[in-house]
Amino acid sequence: MRAPRRPAWTATLTWKAAVFIAVMCCALAALLGVLVHVSVTGQTVSDSRDKALTRLGEVSGLYEAGEPLPRFAGVDPPGLPASLRALAVRGERGTLVTEYEGRPTMWAAGPADGRALAVRLDYTQSAETIDALDRSILGSSVLAIGATLLVGAFAVTRVTRRLHLTAQVARRISAGDLDARVDDPRTKDPSRPQDEVATVSGALDTMASSLQRKLQTEQRFTADVAHELRTPLTGLSAAAELLPEGRPSELVRDRVRAMRGLTEDLLEISRLDARTETVDLAVHELGPLAERVVRASGTDTEVRVVRDATVETDRRRVERVLGNLVANAHRHGAPPVVVTVDGPVVSVRDHGPGYPAYLLESGPQRFRTESGGKGHGLGLTIAVGQAEVIGAELVFAAAPDGGAEARLRLPEYVRLAPSDAEE
């Protein structure tokens, strides 16, 4: 039988610290309580024993002088414990605490002509003193454990709150927000002592700044290279048009067009990386928009409109995303390629070998393709970037019966009723 799964909160640092503090406090309180109890009880019993033996000595003098014995003493008195009686008969003296007439009693006995001469002392007050001490120890232990737990929970919560903040910043950085920083005040003042959490926070901020500078340098380099290539490529394209017709000139023109397309893709990616794109929102019917993209692609692609929908989006960017998906399906997949509109969701499906495992796991990567076809891995990268700009969700998946499927979910436009609009 499988063991039940523990709740998630039991794995938190706060819970573990609270359990550790509680266990240690209980152990310490129990140890101190036992030590105090044993010490006080021993001292109380010792004082009562000395008092009882002193009275026994006084009573022995009276017994030897033939004087009458007080009422708390006697020879073989009723209620005398048998073990203490046997000890006195053997000629030894001893004491013992027992119950007598329902009250704690300290007995002291000694030999008296082959019998036991004994005295008894009321032990009630001493027993009550020990009981009160035990209650005080228990109450003070509970209060001390509660106070320690509160103080410990407060201290641990301050640490865990800083750890949670550091984890949130790390997640924001991994999501692409390179401006996120922890900004722990302990890391800004070198004169202040830093704990381990401040060290981790400072290391995370340093790593984020270094990563941001590196990515910004790469983005500027990509943009600068693309800009610098546009001018010579424009001249090269014009010169290629002047070449005499023939196979060599066709190859030159084809390569020039490929380089111009790559340059434009690099410029578009640099703009997307800079996050400076603006969106031109308008209301469009999704079915006709998908049909227009397929017609513009000039490919043999089937369009199926299961349920049309009205979306509020940037038409040019949606066309760019769908155009790249259709081109990728024909370049790296296999026919038939089908574009399906089902409400605000557009799916592009082919019947090829499917997307590579790395793409399904972590998304498209620039200049990486594994399908054996042509391409630089920029088309899907641009599609993902444009979808993010317009607030759409683009998901890459493997089709159930083979092939690749990309699903684009757009924000659906909701028309308000006249009464709602007036209100």
Side-chain angles (χ1 to χ4, degrees), residues 71-72 77-81 98-107 120-124:
R71 57 185 182 83
F72 59 82
L80 180 65
T98 61
E99 291 285 335
Y100 179 72
E101 296 181 354
R103 299 172 66 87
T105 301
M106 169 69 76
W107 288 93
R120 64 177 182 272
L121 274 71
D122 187 10
Y123 195 70
T124 303

Side-chain angles (χ1 to χ4, degrees), residues 44-113:
T44 303
V45 172
S46 178
D47 292 344
S48 299
R49 180 182 293 112
D50 293 341
K51 186 177 180 180
L53 291 175
T54 300
R55 288 194 176 183
L56 179 62
E58 295 173 354
V59 170
S60 297
L62 295 176
Y63 176 78
E64 293 174 356
E67 298 288 338
L69 300 179
R71 57 185 182 83
F72 59 82
V75 178
D76 292 333
L80 180 65
S83 59
L84 190 59
R85 184 190 305 273
L87 183 68
V89 170
R90 293 199 304 268
E92 300 178 8
R93 302 174 67 185
T95 59
L96 186 66
V97 177
T98 61
E99 291 285 335
Y100 179 72
E101 296 181 354
R103 299 172 66 87
T105 301
M106 169 69 76
W107 288 93
D113 299 328

Side-chain angles (χ1 to χ4, degrees), residues 21-37 132-150:
I21 293 174
V23 171
M24 293 303 297
C25 286
C26 290
L28 183 61
L31 178 61
L32 293 177
V34 170
L35 292 177
V36 172
H37 173 82
L133 175 66
D134 291 340
R135 290 192 297 270
S136 299
I137 292 175
L138 181 60
S140 60
S141 298
V142 172
L143 291 177
I145 291 173
T148 305
L149 278 176
L150 290 176

Side-chain angles (χ1 to χ4, degrees), residues 287-354:
L289 192 152
E291 294 173 349
R292 184 164 56 249
V293 171
V294 171
R295 286 196 303 269
S297 67
T299 58
D300 184 14
T301 304
E302 179 184 357
V303 180
R304 299 175 184 173
V305 180
V306 178
R307 180 173 64 90
D308 202 357
T310 303
V311 295
E312 185 177 15
T313 187
D314 189 324
R315 178 181 61 81
R316 180 183 66 84
R317 299 185 187 277
V318 173
E319 291 178 348
R320 177 65 162 155
V321 174
L322 294 180
N324 283 11
L325 294 178
V326 171
N328 183 81
H330 282 281
R331 182 180 296 115
H332 301 290
V337 177
V338 181
V339 176
T340 304
V341 178
D342 187 0
V345 179
V346 184
S347 61
V348 179
R349 162 79 188 282
D350 66 66
H351 292 75

Side-chain angles (χ1 to χ4, degrees), residues 7 28 38 61 73 82 89 101 160 188 234 260 263 306 328 349-350 359 361-362 378 385:
L28 183 61
V38 171
V89 170
E101 296 181 354
T160 54
K188 295 181 178 180
T234 301
R260 292 190 65 179
T263 302
V306 178
N328 183 81
R349 162 79 188 282
D350 66 66
L359 191 146
E361 181 179 353
S362 57
L378 299 181

Side-chain angles (χ1 to χ4, degrees), residues 385-410:
Q386 294 290 9
E388 182 179 352
V389 170
I390 60 177
E393 180 186 9
L394 180 58
V395 178
F396 301 98
D401 54 346
E405 183 178 18
R407 293 188 295 271
L408 179 68
R409 178 180 294 274
L410 296 162

